[in-house]
Amino acid sequence: MEILDLLPANFGYVILTYFYSWVMLTYLGVNVGRARKKYDVKYPTMYSTKDDMFNCIQRAHQNTLEVYPQWLVFQTIAAIVYPTAASVLGVIWVTSRFSYAWGYYTGNPAKRLNGAYGYIGLFGVIILSLSVALQLLGWTTGENNIVRKMSGFLDGIRCGDCECNIDWGEKRNTIASIAAGVLFFTGWWIIIDAAIMYPKEEDFHHAYHTCGVIATIAFLMINAVSNGQVRGDSYSEGCMGQTGARVWLFIGFMLAFGSLIASMWILFGGFVVPAKAAVYPGIAVFFQNAFIFFGGLVFKFGRTEDLWQ
């Protein structure tokens, strides 16, 4: 059997993505070679002890090489089952490395975060790879269907009556909605407070707000489809259908997890490890995304659709 018969029809897009990544690596490598001549840094010296500008150019290339093998593995695994989605996510990641490098080329290392949106592509293929693993293990079909369990595991929960004879079960949707709203509001209140306290970009880079925006978009996406639509109980017509609803929910969770993980990286990579004097902005970014993330979960799974009118 020929290899063309084994690969999905759209795998050609994945190969083009690999070619795009080769162009990106070549571009970064050529820039390092030019910088060696310009700043007189001879091989095999990795970094200059005299000029940080060369070090910025070198780090843009070196950091990409450090992440590239991981991306390549997950990109390939994801592309076997999801070639089109993996290609789109791959293009996002590869393009972000240009933004990352151009930010570094300014001589201000903080501007490398202009390429932070690349985490969408990286975490996207990681999640798709996890999906492939679950399918191979048979955890996505029949009684082991994780999507079905996830979308319905809280539907059977009812709060018992307290001594004051209040039927909390009837108020479950109200309580869950208020709790989710409080979590969402608290997350944004924290980040606004940090932005007011640290208005200077050297203390609080404006690119860090990207995580909160993505988390908010994920919050809306996750709650745009009902659990019944995901299970296929109440969505028989429409432009998306059950599969579309599941894909939409999957993308929403991908963005939610991606923003949460990215906020942790910002906290430790941007504030704790460099031992900055002001760590509060990093803490604020993390808690903003954490509160929005858990607010989305509460609003999604804390309510029951049995009480919907």
Side-chain angles (χ1 to χ4, degrees):
M1 183 178 293
E2 296 183 359
I3 188 66
L4 295 179
D5 297 328
L6 295 175
L7 295 175
N10 294 334
F11 200 84
Y13 295 123
V14 181
I15 298 176
L16 292 178
T17 304
Y18 292 149
F19 179 78
Y20 182 36
S21 70
W22 172 79
V23 172
M24 177 268 296
L25 289 176
T26 302
Y27 170 78
L28 298 183
V30 169
N31 285 338
V32 173
R34 291 176 176 174
R36 285 188 176 277
K37 294 181 180 180
K38 180 178 180 180
Y39 298 102
D40 193 28
V41 180
K42 305 297 183 181
Y43 289 104
T45 303
M46 181 69 74
Y47 298 105
S48 173
T49 57
K50 301 178 181 179
D51 201 313
D52 282 339
M53 188 61 208
F54 171 81
N55 294 337
C56 288
I57 298 174
Q58 172 73 324
R59 276 305 301 165
H61 183 225
Q62 189 65 28
N63 179 267
T64 301
L65 292 177
E66 293 167 0
V67 183
Y68 189 77
Q70 306 170 37
W71 170 80
L72 201 60
V73 170
F74 290 116
Q75 177 75 12
T76 302
I77 295 174
I80 294 175
V81 179
Y82 308 102
T84 303
S87 299
V88 173
L89 293 170
V91 168
I92 292 175
W93 183 81
V94 175
T95 304
S96 74
R97 302 314 296 181
F98 285 106
S99 301
Y100 180 89
W102 293 334
Y104 242 141
Y105 292 169
T106 63
N108 182 4
K111 291 187 177 181
R112 73 190 189 281
L113 295 175
N114 293 343
Y117 64 88
Y119 283 104
I120 297 175
L122 179 59
F123 290 128
V125 293
I126 291 176
I127 295 175
L128 288 180
S129 299
L130 179 61
S131 175
V132 173
L134 295 177
Q135 292 181 52
L136 290 174
L137 294 172
W139 290 2
T140 59
T141 58
E143 296 181 356
N144 294 325
N145 192 322
I146 290 181
V147 175
R148 180 178 293 272
K149 290 182 178 181
M150 179 187 69
S151 62
F153 83 102
L154 277 179
D155 282 349
I157 295 179
R158 294 292 186 275
C159 297
D161 295 339
C162 67
E163 295 180 356
C164 54
N165 295 324
I166 297 178
D167 188 359
W168 292 106
E170 293 295 329
K171 299 181 180 296
R172 174 180 168 181
N173 286 2
T174 302
I175 296 172
S177 299
I178 294 175
V182 170
L183 289 171
F184 184 85
F185 167 80
T186 303
W188 275 104
W189 180 85
I190 291 174
I191 201 67
I192 292 174
D193 179 65
I196 294 175
M197 292 182 62
Y198 298 92
K200 296 182 179 180
E201 190 164 354
E202 55 266 24
D203 295 328
F204 189 9
H205 198 282
H206 297 164
Y208 293 157
H209 292 292
T210 305
C211 291
V213 174
I214 294 176
T216 301
I217 294 174
F219 180 99
L220 298 175
M221 291 184 65
I222 290 172
N223 291 283
V225 292
S226 67
N227 295 334
Q229 291 170 347
V230 175
R231 293 193 302 267
D233 298 338
S234 60
Y235 203 72
S236 57
E237 299 179 357
C239 61
M240 295 178 64
Q242 179 186 2
T243 301
R246 290 183 176 183
V247 171
W248 182 270
L249 182 65
F250 175 80
I251 295 175
F253 273 112
M254 180 187 71
L255 294 176
F257 279 108
S259 61
L260 182 61
I261 296 173
S263 68
M264 295 175 63
W265 179 85
I266 290 174
L267 171 59
F268 290 97
F271 293 90
V272 176
V273 175
K276 284 191 173 182
V279 184
Y280 176 62
I283 297 175
V285 171
F286 170 72
F287 276 106
Q288 178 205 21
N289 286 270
F291 278 121
I292 294 176
F293 176 79
F294 288 110
L297 293 183
V298 170
F299 195 70
K300 178 65 178 176
F301 301 118
R303 300 174 300 156
T304 174
E305 297 173 7
D306 295 339
L307 300 177
W308 290 8
Q309 299 296 329

